[in-house]
Amino acid sequence: MAEVADIAFIQELKQRPDLSLKQDAQGIPLIDLSCPDMDALVHDIGHACTKWGFFQIINHGVPSELSHKLAEASHKFFHLTMDEKRKVRRDVGKVLGYYDTEHTKNIRDWKEVFDYTVQQPTLAAASVDENDHQVAHWENQWPQSPPEMREVCEEYAKEMVALGMRLMELIAMSMGLKAQRFEEFFKDHTSSVRLNHYPPCPSPELALGVGHHKDPGVLTILAQDDVGGLEVRQKSDGRWVGVKPTPDAYIVNLGDVLQVWSNGEYESVDHRVIVNPEKERYSIPFFLNPSHYTMVEPLPELIRGHQKGAKYRPYNWGKFALSRKHSNFMKLQADNIQIHWFKN
Ligand code: OGA
Ligand code: NI
């Protein structure tokens, strides 16, 4: 990893974490998915979605052994030599695989990642040009080591899709819709899994593991280890608060697509990752995303009776996702470093 003296990592003053104020969130909902009382479960999910946009789930049915196997494979992969990791490196032609140069809002993240998609191949927009209707086929790249990587990753992805779709049923019901309402958007879903590795950082007060952002997709199911570092901007007062790791729980957060589908009722929430001077941290988000050709717009039945009508204009998911990938890919010259970032 580069030194933090590398200016690309340094956050603008107002984005830097105040490590002296670090505080854990109080009251992030913890939802037990094995709860037999369906009405209560749906009610709790709805409450968590409106009040927080973030919640943790337990008794979710994903075997903990599988999560541990994936965590282990991830540790082994990230501890390979840079030469080995770069054999499965992502580049302009190959959008999936390993890279350590992601930028969030044009500042480099203090992390390295391995991305793979669930569907093989994943059908995606070929370009961001609105008139280009060509379809691209995204293929995963698998490292030779560790040998179990592919199998474990694929098995985990299947579990995540099942869990994600189950959450979507509960979310649909919490909006007064039928459980299957969202199914049609996922026929050729573009969901993906990301293995994140945040190495120890010598200057955690200047850099971030991931700069503040909202997830663009439908929802995210995150597994994190016991180090901690994920922070959420609390809806109630706008403060940054830590999400304390809970063993065997997943963190669920709503993405921008759900915010649009719900016509703003269920907002996606700003979050970021702070880094640690001594400890490395691993996390594994699963991003549930619709088919690339989905036109994302507020559901008609949720606009009806709404005085203000639709709060968003339709947009094409595939084009949106691809332009995000492009903008993440390299630091855009136009937004190059400004000295006012360093004013006190
Ligand atoms: C992300 C993200 C959080 C984490 O990758 O979008 O928000 O704890 N990750 O790694
Ligand atoms: Ni995120």
Side-chain angles (χ1 to χ4, degrees):
M1 205 86 200
E3 297 291 317
V4 81
D6 185 341
I7 220 157
F9 289 101
I10 297 178
Q11 294 286 329
E12 201 173 341
L13 201 56
K14 67 176 192 293
Q15 303 300 350
R16 291 181 201 165
D18 187 342
L19 300 175
S20 66
L21 284 180
K22 245 167 63 176
Q23 222 184 359
D24 282 331
Q26 301 297 318
I28 286 197
L30 183 66
I31 292 179
D32 182 347
L33 284 187
S34 68
C35 169
D37 181 346
M38 196 62 157
D39 289 344
L41 184 55
V42 167
H43 172 270
D44 289 352
I45 294 259
H47 183 256
C49 287
T50 45
K51 186 126 192 260
W52 286 87
F54 249 86
F55 51 96
Q56 303 208 60
I57 50 175
I58 50 167
N59 296 321
H60 38 68
V62 181
S64 62
E65 199 195 323
L66 178 59
S67 303
H68 293 149
K69 270 204 270 183
L70 181 58
E72 238 169 67
S74 168
H75 297 185
K76 286 186 200 160
F77 173 75
F78 286 117
H79 282 279
L80 295 175
T81 62
M82 197 46 103
D83 279 352
E84 278 302 308
K85 288 186 279 196
R86 287 196 172 147
K87 286 184 183 163
V88 290
R89 177 168 57 177
R90 171 183 152 168
D91 60 32
V92 184
K94 297 175 187 151
V95 291
L96 304 166
Y98 172 79
Y99 56 110
D100 65 354
T101 51
E102 185 163 73
H103 292 77
T104 302
K105 304 193 194 321
N106 276 333
I107 309 288
R108 189 161 161 197
D109 292 334
W110 193 267
K111 69 175 181 189
E112 49 179 351
V113 315
F114 177 82
D115 278 343
Y116 68 97
T117 50
V118 178
Q119 305 261 59
Q120 276 309 288
T122 292
L123 306 182
S127 76
V128 295
D129 176 356
E130 279 190 33
N131 301 313
D132 179 0
H133 299 296
Q134 282 193 77
V135 176
H137 293 75
W138 289 357
E139 307 271 358
N140 288 331
Q141 303 194 72
W142 297 109
Q144 276 179 348
S145 176
E148 71 278 16
M149 181 94 158
R150 178 177 184 163
E151 193 183 323
V152 177
C153 283
E154 288 179 348
E155 207 179 322
Y156 187 77
K158 271 190 217 146
E159 291 285 345
M160 285 297 111
V161 172
L163 178 57
M165 293 313 289
R166 192 164 156 229
L167 288 168
M168 288 311 291
E169 291 182 9
L170 294 167
I171 288 172
M173 288 189 275
S174 77
M175 293 174 177
L177 307 168
K178 66 176 195 314
Q180 313 302 326
R181 177 62 178 92
F182 292 109
E183 223 178 74
E184 61 178 284
F185 301 116
F186 294 96
K187 189 170 160 286
D188 298 304
H189 66 93
T190 55
S191 307
S192 65
V193 178
R194 169 170 286 181
L195 309 181
N196 278 316
H197 175 220
Y198 303 96
C201 178
S203 310
E205 71 286 0
L206 297 178
L208 288 170
V210 190
H212 82 94
H213 68 283
K214 296 175 181 181
D215 292 344
V218 177
L219 58 78
T220 303
I221 305 175
L222 178 93
Q224 64 166 339
D225 64 14
D226 59 5
V227 174
L230 173 64
E231 293 192 332
V232 178
R233 201 199 294 272
Q234 209 159 240
K235 275 181 83 167
S236 57
D237 57 8
R239 273 189 319 159
W240 284 107
V241 289
V243 182
K244 217 172 150 184
T246 305
D248 287 325
Y250 287 108
I251 296 158
V252 178
N253 64 281
L254 310 183
D256 293 339
V257 170
L258 203 51
Q259 177 167 333
V260 173
W261 278 344
S262 70
N263 204 26
E265 215 43 46
Y266 286 3
E267 284 171 340
S268 64
V269 176
D270 222 7
H271 55 286
R272 68 181 184 185
V273 173
I274 56 173
V275 277
N276 190 296
E278 287 114 36
K279 293 182 192 160
E280 58 179 354
R281 172 175 182 261
Y282 292 86
S283 74
I284 308 174
F286 162 73
F287 302 106
L288 182 71
N289 294 330
S291 312
H292 76 89
Y293 45 76
T294 304
M295 291 304 290
V296 182
E297 59 189 319
L299 297 180
E301 61 269 46
L302 297 182
I303 305 171
R304 244 172 262 140
H306 234 263
Q307 283 186 345
K308 293 195 190 86
K311 290 187 180 163
Y312 305 91
R313 287 191 305 277
Y315 63 92
N316 176 288
W317 165 251
K319 304 284 178 198
F320 181 89
L322 192 64
S323 50
R324 269 296 170 91
K325 271 203 186 289
H326 284 172
S327 75
N328 271 338
F329 201 61
M330 58 192 84
K331 193 173 162 73
L332 299 173
Q333 287 305 312
D335 271 304
N336 232 325
I337 191 159
Q338 305 289 325
I339 46 170
H340 72 257
W341 293 0
F342 303 102
K343 263 198 222 155
N344 274 317

